[in-house]
Amino acid sequence: MTSAVPMVETALDLHSLAGDLEVLMAIEAEEARQHDGIELIASENIASRAVRAAQGSVFTDKYAEGYPERRYYGGCGPSDRIEQLAIDRVRRLFDAVWANVQPHSGASANLAVFFALLQPGDTILGLDLACGGHLTHGSPVTVSGRWFKAVTYQVRRDDEHIDYDDLARIARQTRPKLILVGGSAYARRIDFARARAIADEVGAFLVADIAHYAGLIVADLYPSPVPHAHVVTSTTHKTLRGPRGGIILSNDEEIGRRVDKAVFPGIQGGPLMHVVAAKAVAFGEALGADFRRYSAQVIDNAQALGSVLQEGGLRLVTGGTDCHLLLVDVTPFGIDGRTAAEALERVGLTVNKNAIPFDLHPPARPSGIRVGTPAATSRGFGISQFEEVGTLILAVLNGVRAGSVDEAGIRGSVARLTASHPIER
Ligand SMILES: *Cc1c(COP(=O)(O)O)cnc(C)c1O
């Protein structure tokens, strides 16, 4: 087992792509785009070189259907080691009894949980998309809305926080088999204990989808659903800063066994062992003290950015944030979210258009933009850089409102910020 091996050459070595210039140039264009712009999409981050090294490793070649010590193919010794390491680390990170690290993505993690716990036609109850929920929580364009009877709860009209009374009322009326909490554009803390009490009252499973908050939870900066939910799903590439992928956690081993069977063979074939290896690396990084400091900076930065935007006349949904993201209503400037997002992209500030609760505008031209701090914080941005980003966002949107944006000047400011905070490759 302990043979001395030379340093492995990894796929990070772009020289090996010299014979395929079309691919090489696309990768280099993406590298330049990331370096030269300021990434403010709340679901994105910048994985470490170590994470990418593991993801580019020889584990991409290996079939390892099954689970550690229970595989369908031979030659799975190293795969068992790496997957067990990922499982042990993620259980330690979240203080969870059981974990599955094989889901290819957040959507796959959710689908596996549905397959484990539901029958077609069952009722599921999730947060309304315009209130910050996720497509996979019952939207009719996904399996979750097509194969299940999906009902939604909303946020309160006055303060835009989750309306737990509405959740309880709809749960009593519709008797869902499964209740989902979590979302993609909800900036406040979630009361997981209260959601569990409602689920227990109606005999539903509580599933917490922490795709967005996972990194903040392991840093103890956002409440953990693990003690409360029957099942927890997450991505690994958002605030957790790992490779693109999914995980599922539970404190109930019986549910864990059902979900294991649902992931494989239920909805997936062979696990992406190279991604599992990269997950193990990311979980190791998240166990370190630096990760807590990073996560605290992510939240401080979001709050500083929010204050600048608010003082500049934009409206923050819920009036602020407890996490890494801001949902910004741009209609006080007389513009819509799509126009805002497009104008920001032209100067190298990448955000996404987003609906706001009870949005009066159509999804193609919603009232808001969503802005997040995890990626730029990973390249070293602190509060003063984010205050400048806020000033630049205001300059762009005020320019749009007035009919002329100083694109060259703002691009120059973006270039100074990115040059002084290079992405370390
Ligand atoms: C991002 C996200 C997902 C989907 O993750 P993918 O990896 O893109 O499939 C699921 N749920 C929530 C709440 C998310 O934010």
Side-chain angles (χ1 to χ4, degrees), residues 304-324:
L305 175 61
S307 298
V308 172
L309 298 180
Q310 225 163 9
E311 283 158 23
L314 292 170
R315 189 182 79 84
L316 302 184
V317 171
T318 76
T321 183
D322 297 329
C323 62
H324 61 296

PDB file of all heavy atoms in Angstrom, residues 304-324:
ATOM      1  N   ALA A 304     -21.665  44.681   3.893  1.00  0.00           N
ATOM      2  CA  ALA A 304     -21.086  45.976   3.501  1.00  0.00           C
ATOM      3  C   ALA A 304     -21.589  46.398   2.122  1.00  0.00           C
ATOM      4  O   ALA A 304     -21.976  47.556   1.908  1.00  0.00           O
ATOM      5  CB  ALA A 304     -19.556  45.879   3.494  1.00  0.00           C
ATOM      6  N   LEU A 305     -21.618  45.452   1.189  1.00  0.00           N
ATOM      7  CA  LEU A 305     -22.120  45.747  -0.153  1.00  0.00           C
ATOM      8  C   LEU A 305     -23.584  46.175  -0.084  1.00  0.00           C
ATOM      9  O   LEU A 305     -24.000  47.138  -0.731  1.00  0.00           O
ATOM     10  CB  LEU A 305     -21.956  44.505  -1.045  1.00  0.00           C
ATOM     11  CG  LEU A 305     -22.539  44.570  -2.454  1.00  0.00           C
ATOM     12  CD1 LEU A 305     -21.899  45.680  -3.263  1.00  0.00           C
ATOM     13  CD2 LEU A 305     -22.345  43.227  -3.169  1.00  0.00           C
ATOM     14  N   GLY A 306     -24.365  45.457   0.734  1.00  0.00           N
ATOM     15  CA  GLY A 306     -25.788  45.780   0.868  1.00  0.00           C
ATOM     16  C   GLY A 306     -25.996  47.189   1.382  1.00  0.00           C
ATOM     17  O   GLY A 306     -26.871  47.919   0.883  1.00  0.00           O
ATOM     18  N   SER A 307     -25.193  47.598   2.352  1.00  0.00           N
ATOM     19  CA  SER A 307     -25.354  48.959   2.899  1.00  0.00           C
ATOM     20  C   SER A 307     -25.111  50.011   1.828  1.00  0.00           C
ATOM     21  O   SER A 307     -25.856  50.993   1.734  1.00  0.00           O
ATOM     22  CB  SER A 307     -24.367  49.185   4.050  1.00  0.00           C
ATOM     23  OG  SER A 307     -24.627  48.283   5.083  1.00  0.00           O
ATOM     24  N   VAL A 308     -24.065  49.811   1.018  1.00  0.00           N
ATOM     25  CA  VAL A 308     -23.771  50.795  -0.035  1.00  0.00           C
ATOM     26  C   VAL A 308     -24.925  50.868  -1.034  1.00  0.00           C
ATOM     27  O   VAL A 308     -25.357  51.961  -1.429  1.00  0.00           O
ATOM     28  CB  VAL A 308     -22.450  50.428  -0.760  1.00  0.00           C
ATOM     29  CG1 VAL A 308     -22.227  51.310  -1.982  1.00  0.00           C
ATOM     30  CG2 VAL A 308     -21.274  50.535   0.200  1.00  0.00           C
ATOM     31  N   LEU A 309     -25.454  49.706  -1.428  1.00  0.00           N
ATOM     32  CA  LEU A 309     -26.541  49.707  -2.423  1.00  0.00           C
ATOM     33  C   LEU A 309     -27.785  50.380  -1.868  1.00  0.00           C
ATOM     34  O   LEU A 309     -28.481  51.125  -2.563  1.00  0.00           O
ATOM     35  CB  LEU A 309     -26.854  48.267  -2.865  1.00  0.00           C
ATOM     36  CG  LEU A 309     -25.704  47.515  -3.550  1.00  0.00           C
ATOM     37  CD1 LEU A 309     -26.136  46.097  -3.935  1.00  0.00           C
ATOM     38  CD2 LEU A 309     -25.203  48.264  -4.787  1.00  0.00           C
ATOM     39  N   GLN A 310     -28.049  50.099  -0.582  1.00  0.00           N
ATOM     40  CA  GLN A 310     -29.217  50.672   0.071  1.00  0.00           C
ATOM     41  C   GLN A 310     -29.085  52.195   0.179  1.00  0.00           C
ATOM     42  O   GLN A 310     -30.016  52.939  -0.139  1.00  0.00           O
ATOM     43  CB  GLN A 310     -29.310  50.088   1.485  1.00  0.00           C
ATOM     44  CG  GLN A 310     -30.681  49.651   1.882  1.00  0.00           C
ATOM     45  CD  GLN A 310     -30.643  48.713   3.100  1.00  0.00           C
ATOM     46  OE1 GLN A 310     -29.605  48.531   3.747  1.00  0.00           O
ATOM     47  NE2 GLN A 310     -31.769  48.135   3.406  1.00  0.00           N
ATOM     48  N   GLU A 311     -27.892  52.646   0.601  1.00  0.00           N
ATOM     49  CA  GLU A 311     -27.680  54.100   0.727  1.00  0.00           C
ATOM     50  C   GLU A 311     -27.770  54.777  -0.633  1.00  0.00           C
ATOM     51  O   GLU A 311     -28.145  55.945  -0.716  1.00  0.00           O
ATOM     52  CB  GLU A 311     -26.314  54.387   1.376  1.00  0.00           C
ATOM     53  CG  GLU A 311     -26.338  54.166   2.879  1.00  0.00           C
ATOM     54  CD  GLU A 311     -24.941  53.907   3.465  1.00  0.00           C
ATOM     55  OE1 GLU A 311     -23.944  54.317   2.829  1.00  0.00           O
ATOM     56  OE2 GLU A 311     -24.877  53.282   4.547  1.00  0.00           O
ATOM     57  N   GLY A 312     -27.457  54.021  -1.695  1.00  0.00           N
ATOM     58  CA  GLY A 312     -27.540  54.581  -3.038  1.00  0.00           C
ATOM     59  C   GLY A 312     -28.937  54.588  -3.613  1.00  0.00           C
ATOM     60  O   GLY A 312     -29.130  54.996  -4.756  1.00  0.00           O
ATOM     61  N   GLY A 313     -29.931  54.071  -2.870  1.00  0.00           N
ATOM     62  CA  GLY A 313     -31.310  54.176  -3.325  1.00  0.00           C
ATOM     63  C   GLY A 313     -31.938  52.890  -3.833  1.00  0.00           C
ATOM     64  O   GLY A 313     -33.101  52.886  -4.231  1.00  0.00           O
ATOM     65  N   LEU A 314     -31.186  51.788  -3.836  1.00  0.00           N
ATOM     66  CA  LEU A 314     -31.786  50.512  -4.237  1.00  0.00           C
ATOM     67  C   LEU A 314     -32.459  49.882  -3.020  1.00  0.00           C
ATOM     68  O   LEU A 314     -32.116  50.195  -1.876  1.00  0.00           O
ATOM     69  CB  LEU A 314     -30.715  49.576  -4.799  1.00  0.00           C
ATOM     70  CG  LEU A 314     -30.119  50.031  -6.133  1.00  0.00           C
ATOM     71  CD1 LEU A 314     -28.895  49.188  -6.493  1.00  0.00           C
ATOM     72  CD2 LEU A 314     -31.158  49.939  -7.258  1.00  0.00           C
ATOM     73  N   ARG A 315     -33.400  48.956  -3.271  1.00  0.00           N
ATOM     74  CA  ARG A 315     -34.108  48.323  -2.152  1.00  0.00           C
ATOM     75  C   ARG A 315     -33.647  46.881  -1.999  1.00  0.00           C
ATOM     76  O   ARG A 315     -33.616  46.119  -2.964  1.00  0.00           O
ATOM     77  CB  ARG A 315     -35.610  48.345  -2.413  1.00  0.00           C
ATOM     78  CG  ARG A 315     -36.445  47.903  -1.203  1.00  0.00           C
ATOM     79  CD  ARG A 315     -37.923  47.887  -1.528  1.00  0.00           C
ATOM     80  NE  ARG A 315     -38.306  46.701  -2.277  1.00  0.00           N
ATOM     81  CZ  ARG A 315     -38.600  45.518  -1.722  1.00  0.00           C
ATOM     82  NH1 ARG A 315     -38.567  45.369  -0.420  1.00  0.00           N
ATOM     83  NH2 ARG A 315     -38.935  44.487  -2.488  1.00  0.00           N
ATOM     84  N   LEU A 316     -33.216  46.505  -0.792  1.00  0.00           N
ATOM     85  CA  LEU A 316     -32.858  45.106  -0.544  1.00  0.00           C
ATOM     86  C   LEU A 316     -34.103  44.366  -0.073  1.00  0.00           C
ATOM     87  O   LEU A 316     -34.763  44.810   0.874  1.00  0.00           O
ATOM     88  CB  LEU A 316     -31.786  45.006   0.541  1.00  0.00           C
ATOM     89  CG  LEU A 316     -30.468  45.732   0.302  1.00  0.00           C
ATOM     90  CD1 LEU A 316     -29.492  45.427   1.436  1.00  0.00           C
ATOM     91  CD2 LEU A 316     -29.862  45.325  -1.041  1.00  0.00           C
ATOM     92  N   VAL A 317     -34.415  43.252  -0.730  1.00  0.00           N
ATOM     93  CA  VAL A 317     -35.526  42.412  -0.263  1.00  0.00           C
ATOM     94  C   VAL A 317     -35.180  41.936   1.154  1.00  0.00           C
ATOM     95  O   VAL A 317     -34.018  41.559   1.415  1.00  0.00           O
ATOM     96  CB  VAL A 317     -35.733  41.231  -1.237  1.00  0.00           C
ATOM     97  CG1 VAL A 317     -36.720  40.216  -0.664  1.00  0.00           C
ATOM     98  CG2 VAL A 317     -36.219  41.748  -2.584  1.00  0.00           C
ATOM     99  N   THR A 318     -36.112  41.984   2.044  1.00  0.00           N
ATOM    100  CA  THR A 318     -35.979  41.730   3.497  1.00  0.00           C
ATOM    101  C   THR A 318     -35.144  42.810   4.208  1.00  0.00           C
ATOM    102  O   THR A 318     -34.880  42.705   5.395  1.00  0.00           O
ATOM    103  CB  THR A 318     -35.370  40.358   3.882  1.00  0.00           C
ATOM    104  OG1 THR A 318     -33.943  40.363   3.664  1.00  0.00           O
ATOM    105  CG2 THR A 318     -36.000  39.207   3.137  1.00  0.00           C
ATOM    106  N   GLY A 319     -34.675  43.812   3.473  1.00  0.00           N
ATOM    107  CA  GLY A 319     -33.929  44.909   4.104  1.00  0.00           C
ATOM    108  C   GLY A 319     -32.471  44.597   4.403  1.00  0.00           C
ATOM    109  O   GLY A 319     -31.772  45.431   4.964  1.00  0.00           O
ATOM    110  N   GLY A 320     -31.987  43.401   4.043  1.00  0.00           N
ATOM    111  CA  GLY A 320     -30.579  43.086   4.327  1.00  0.00           C
ATOM    112  C   GLY A 320     -30.280  41.626   4.069  1.00  0.00           C
ATOM    113  O   GLY A 320     -30.937  40.970   3.263  1.00  0.00           O
ATOM    114  N   THR A 321     -29.271  41.109   4.757  1.00  0.00           N
ATOM    115  CA  THR A 321     -28.900  39.703   4.557  1.00  0.00           C
ATOM    116  C   THR A 321     -28.270  39.103   5.807  1.00  0.00           C
ATOM    117  O   THR A 321     -27.614  39.813   6.572  1.00  0.00           O
ATOM    118  CB  THR A 321     -27.915  39.550   3.375  1.00  0.00           C
ATOM    119  OG1 THR A 321     -27.629  38.158   3.181  1.00  0.00           O
ATOM    120  CG2 THR A 321     -26.602  40.283   3.619  1.00  0.00           C
ATOM    121  N   ASP A 322     -28.464  37.800   5.995  1.00  0.00           N
ATOM    122  CA  ASP A 322     -27.777  37.037   7.045  1.00  0.00           C
ATOM    123  C   ASP A 322     -26.725  36.116   6.437  1.00  0.00           C
ATOM    124  O   ASP A 322     -26.158  35.273   7.137  1.00  0.00           O
ATOM    125  CB  ASP A 322     -28.773  36.126   7.788  1.00  0.00           C
ATOM    126  CG  ASP A 322     -29.855  36.907   8.507  1.00  0.00           C
ATOM    127  OD1 ASP A 322     -29.579  38.040   8.944  1.00  0.00           O
ATOM    128  OD2 ASP A 322     -30.973  36.367   8.634  1.00  0.00           O
ATOM    129  N   CYS A 323     -26.511  36.222   5.114  1.00  0.00           N
ATOM    130  CA  CYS A 323     -25.648  35.220   4.478  1.00  0.00           C
ATOM    131  C   CYS A 323     -24.772  35.850   3.407  1.00  0.00           C
ATOM    132  O   CYS A 323     -24.278  36.949   3.574  1.00  0.00           O
ATOM    133  CB  CYS A 323     -26.496  34.059   3.960  1.00  0.00           C
ATOM    134  SG  CYS A 323     -27.680  34.548   2.687  1.00  0.00           S
ATOM    135  N   HIS A 324     -24.571  35.131   2.330  1.00  0.00           N
ATOM    136  CA  HIS A 324     -23.626  35.528   1.290  1.00  0.00           C
ATOM    137  C   HIS A 324     -24.301  36.215   0.117  1.00  0.00           C
ATOM    138  O   HIS A 324     -23.655  36.542  -0.856  1.00  0.00           O
ATOM    139  CB  HIS A 324     -22.937  34.269   0.761  1.00  0.00           C
ATOM    140  CG  HIS A 324     -23.942  33.316   0.159  1.00  0.00           C
ATOM    141  ND1 HIS A 324     -24.928  32.729   0.913  1.00  0.00           N
ATOM    142  CD2 HIS A 324     -24.141  32.911  -1.118  1.00  0.00           C
ATOM    143  CE1 HIS A 324     -25.684  31.975   0.115  1.00  0.00           C
ATOM    144  NE2 HIS A 324     -25.220  32.078  -1.117  1.00  0.00           N
TER     145      HIS A 324
END
